[in-house]
Amino acid sequence: MRLQFLLVFSGILILTCMAYKPVIIIHGVWDLRFSLNFLAEQIRQYHIGTEVHIIDILHGWRSLAPLWYQVKKFHDEMLPVMQKASDGVILIGYSQGGVISRGIIETTEHNITTFISLSSPQAGQYGDDFLRLIFPQYIKETVYEVFYSRIGQRVSVANYWNDPHHQALYYKYSDYLPYLNNEINDSYSKEYRHNFLKLKKLVLIGGPDDGVITPWQSSHFGYFDSEENITEMRDQIFYQQDLFGLRTLDKGGRIKIYEIPGVYHTDWHHNVSVIKNCILPWLD
């Protein structure tokens, strides 16, 4: 009887140890319902026992809705999963989904312990290759005339379009990214920083052959200066002044950065090596 009890107890202990945190995935701009299925299946296959949730809303042209609207919608869908997860959840945001994820993290009382930003323009976007995928009639040098207006800000891409040559207009009209960066002080600035610092780990994944995120260093919080030279994350003003907590996370050893060559933008969530080496290790 004692041996049987020990065996049963051991089995319960093993199952308890294998109870991983739920993983929530937010898709990118223009993605379809099945776009992130491969990533989810790889997690289920190689990280056995993990509960994976792809948030199944705002696909296709609906992904162009304003980002504050999307933040609310995605958060509402995530909330039941988070409420059931006593030990917290892990959030993966791909491309635009990573920028939406930051909005959720900074503006809500969350229990997200790890945020994996997969090829996401965290410092903004400024490039023709990206623009042609969605608005082929525009070029990067002139699209600010549309994006930096009250009407233009009704499009998601405009909310993180960061034209290095028109910064005054960016700060005047952009109603999303500069607020997340706490570059524009408002009554929620302290709350945004407080919520961001609840993260235990921030994983930033990107690479020089992405071909869409421009500059690709934006996936690591780097960005163009006024002459289109790259200012790396640790030289950014929002990092040096620790405006939303990025420097604190870094100094505390809570940021992991992956620079992976040879991966095109739409291949990140299909690349088995990236999934195994850059995502799976942070799901325990």
Side-chain angles (χ1 to χ4, degrees):
M1 177 67 72
R2 179 177 297 176
L3 177 60
Q4 183 180 10
F5 171 78
L6 288 174
L7 289 173
V8 171
F9 178 78
S10 298
I12 294 173
L13 182 61
I14 291 171
L15 289 173
T16 301
C17 293
M18 291 178 63
Y20 298 120
K21 296 173 184 176
V23 173
I24 299 172
I25 303 175
I26 295 181
H27 65 78
V29 68
W30 221 245
D31 279 337
L32 303 175
R33 294 183 182 278
F34 55 81
S35 296
L36 280 299
N37 285 358
F38 182 81
L39 171 58
E41 289 305 317
Q42 288 289 297
I43 293 172
R44 295 187 184 106
Q45 179 178 350
Y46 291 103
H47 207 261
I48 298 173
T50 303
E51 180 183 312
V52 184
H53 301 266
I54 302 175
I55 305 302
D56 190 19
I57 59 172
L58 299 173
H59 300 284
W61 64 268
R62 293 180 178 86
S63 66
L64 296 175
L67 288 192
W68 285 124
Y69 171 82
Q70 296 200 50
V71 164
K72 183 182 186 307
K73 290 298 182 180
F74 277 104
H75 176 260
D76 289 347
E77 292 292 317
M78 290 169 50
L79 192 57
V81 179
M82 293 193 292
Q83 289 175 334
K84 292 179 182 179
S86 58
D87 293 328
V89 303
I90 294 169
L91 179 60
I92 302 174
Y94 165 63
S95 194
Q96 178 177 277
V99 184
I100 294 170
S101 298
R102 259 188 77 199
I104 294 169
I105 290 166
E106 293 190 32
T107 64
T108 67
E109 281 294 328
H110 64 84
N111 62 345
I112 300 162
T113 60
T114 299
F115 169 38
I116 301 174
S117 175
L118 181 60
S119 186
S120 177
Q122 294 295 348
Q125 174 71 25
Y126 181 72
D128 280 329
D129 289 340
F130 173 83
L131 201 59
R132 290 191 190 102
L133 295 175
I134 306 168
F135 302 106
Q137 69 272 34
Y138 294 114
I139 59 174
K140 66 179 183 180
E141 287 83 2
T142 59
V143 74
Y144 76 91
E145 297 173 349
V146 177
F147 282 175
Y148 294 157
S149 67
R150 290 181 177 85
I151 294 177
Q153 286 295 303
R154 296 177 183 174
V155 179
S156 65
V157 177
N159 297 156
Y160 52 91
W161 187 260
N162 187 356
D163 189 325
H165 307 293
H166 296 90
Q167 288 290 281
L169 292 175
Y170 167 69
Y171 288 117
K172 179 178 180 179
Y173 286 102
S174 184
D175 64 3
Y176 188 80
L177 187 59
Y179 287 89
L180 290 189
N181 289 342
N182 267 343
E183 296 169 299
I184 299 176
N185 289 324
D186 67 13
S187 58
Y188 297 103
S189 294
K190 291 183 179 178
E191 180 182 330
Y192 289 177
R193 189 176 186 277
H194 168 77
N195 291 336
F196 188 77
L197 286 174
K198 291 170 69 176
L199 291 174
K200 294 181 179 179
K201 202 71 182 182
L202 171 63
V203 181
L204 303 173
I205 305 171
D209 300 306
D210 182 274
V212 173
I213 303 302
T214 310
W216 70 265
Q217 291 91 342
S218 183
S219 60
H220 298 159
F221 283 98
Y223 207 67
F224 291 130
D225 64 15
S226 60
E227 297 181 352
E228 296 193 28
N229 299 311
I230 296 298
T231 301
E232 301 292 349
M233 177 184 77
R234 294 180 178 91
D235 295 321
Q236 296 278 4
I237 292 176
F238 56 67
Y239 176 94
Q240 294 182 340
Q241 297 183 4
D242 207 21
L243 295 181
F244 62 93
L246 192 63
R247 185 173 181 269
T248 296
L249 254 60
D250 189 30
K251 294 298 183 181
R254 290 190 276 169
I255 298 180
K256 176 64 177 179
I257 297 176
Y258 291 99
E259 179 180 330
I260 310 296
V263 182
Y264 184 68
H265 186 69
T266 55
D267 294 331
W268 287 105
H269 48 84
H270 292 97
N271 189 296
V272 174
S273 177
V274 169
I275 295 170
K276 287 186 176 180
N277 296 319
C278 306
I279 294 178
L280 293 183
W282 305 105
L283 304 187
D284 291 338

